[in-house]
Each structure stands twice: as C-alpha cells, then as structure tokens.
Amino acid sequence: MNPPAGTRTPDSTRSSLPVDAGRQDGTLHNPDPTRILAIDPGNTESGWVLIDPTDCQPIEFGKTENSKLRQLILCDSPLVDADLVVIEMVASYGMAVGKDVFGTCVWIGKFAEAVRGNWYPFIEPKLVYRRDIKLHHCHNPRAKDANITQALVDRFAPGEPNRGKGTKAAPGWFYGFKADIWQAYALAVYIADTRSSNA
C-alpha cells in the first residue's frame, strides 16, 4: 500500500516503480525540491526521466509501456514529485507519416490529460518540439539522436567509459540509460537550461 500523500520518502517511493525502470544510485548532490519530468513519447512505449534541474542529475528513469506510464503519472509514484512536466511534441515537416506517428500523437494527449488530471491546477504540461532540442544541444536542426547523445556525454560524463554509463562496479552518470531514455533526458536538460525563459 502506498503511504498517504505528503509522507513519501525517496526510499519508500522508489519501490513503486515498474521493473523496467532504472535509477541513479547514491544521494542527490543538491536536494532541491524542484523536479522536472520529461517524456519522449512513442506509440507503444515511452522513455521518461525525472531530474533535479539544479545540476541535471537523473533521479529516476525508464522506458515503460504507455498504459503503465500513464498509470504512474496518475498514482502515488515518484513521478508525482515533479513540479514541471514536459512532453516532446510531434511536428509536421510536409512528409507523409504512418500510423505509428498518429499513435504517438494519441499518447501525447493521454499523458497530458493524465498530468492535468493529477496535478491540476498546479501544473500545465509543456509541449516541446524536437527541433528546439536539437538546436539547443547541437546547434543544428538536422542533428540525429546519436549526435544529441554524444553532446550529453561530452557535457556530463567526459572521459567516462561506455558513453558515460561506466560499469556495474563503477556506475557513471548515465548508468542504466538506453534507447529513448537518452532523448527524454535531452528534453529534460533543455528545460532545465532554459526554465527561466520557459516560465
């Protein structure tokens, strides 16, 4: 059973995460209460990251089946500790798209609705286009996912092995990161870097 609202602790809330969620070991460098939840939506699964914006430290992260992630947003999970939620938004560039893109659009709406349902009127989810994230991290709207990942590694884990993940014995800044988690983190960092202008 989840503890009553207002009584959760970092140790007790982490147990409610799904089995496919990762976590950053150790304590926070700066225990500022502000948290940013960023979601990189997909048509069936979505990457997500909860960070401390003061130093962009990953707190919780995962790639989770969409219905499970929606439930985490709605229930008493660590994700509700966020006080800013941002979701990557789909943009049209004049090319034909398939059903996966339309499915992703449906889930963007479902996630936004869940945020409004659980946090309203305190949090209105922000929608951010991919182009803004590319320009922020790589200064090029044509940057690929690999370019953004490398920019993040160069900034937060220069010189660490395995693209900043480190090893099980010596975990790095990005230990446990995979797939769309990288892009969710890029979104979270973008918001952390520009939160004063996005306020």
Side-chain angles (χ1 to χ4, degrees), residues 8-187:
R8 295 191 312 272
T9 64
D11 289 338
S12 65
T13 55
R14 285 176 181 236
S15 62
S16 63
L17 287 169
V19 294
D20 59 344
R23 63 196 60 210
Q24 191 74 16
D25 292 331
T27 58
L28 296 178
H29 174 68
N30 185 343
D32 189 292
T34 303
R35 302 286 184 264
I36 296 173
L37 171 62
I39 301 173
D40 178 35
N43 63 315
T44 58
E45 295 180 311
S46 297
W48 57 270
V49 175
L50 185 71
I51 73 163
D52 177 346
T54 59
D55 58 5
C56 296
Q57 176 78 44
I59 301 168
E60 304 284 356
F61 51 85
K63 183 174 181 180
T64 305
E65 193 273 326
N66 285 341
S67 61
K68 291 181 180 179
L69 179 55
R70 180 177 180 273
Q71 188 60 34
L72 284 173
I73 293 171
L74 287 169
C75 75
D76 187 24
S77 78
L79 302 195
V80 302
D81 288 335
D83 51 19
L84 195 161
V85 180
V86 59
I87 306 169
E88 185 175 312
M89 182 59 179
V90 172
S92 173
Y93 297 103
M95 301 295 290
V97 297
K99 64 179 182 179
D100 288 355
V101 173
F102 290 109
T104 299
C105 291
V106 169
W107 277 105
I108 291 171
K110 288 185 175 182
F111 291 142
E113 180 186 40
V115 171
R116 292 187 183 104
N118 201 16
W119 282 299
Y120 181 84
F122 304 105
I123 296 180
E124 176 68 19
K126 294 181 180 295
L127 302 179
V128 175
Y129 291 107
R130 185 73 174 156
R131 185 176 187 274
D132 295 330
I133 303 167
K134 291 179 178 182
L135 286 171
H136 181 75
H137 292 292
C138 300
H139 313 290
N140 188 333
R142 297 183 179 180
K144 304 298 183 184
D145 286 357
N147 302 127
I148 296 173
T149 296
Q150 189 59 55
L152 294 170
V153 172
D154 291 344
R155 175 175 171 180
F156 294 104
E160 289 187 16
N162 193 20
R163 293 199 304 176
K165 297 179 185 180
T167 63
K168 186 175 182 179
W173 184 271
F174 296 112
Y175 184 73
F177 270 43
K178 61 180 180 179
D180 300 326
I181 297 171
W182 286 101
Q183 305 314 315
Y185 183 71
L187 172 58

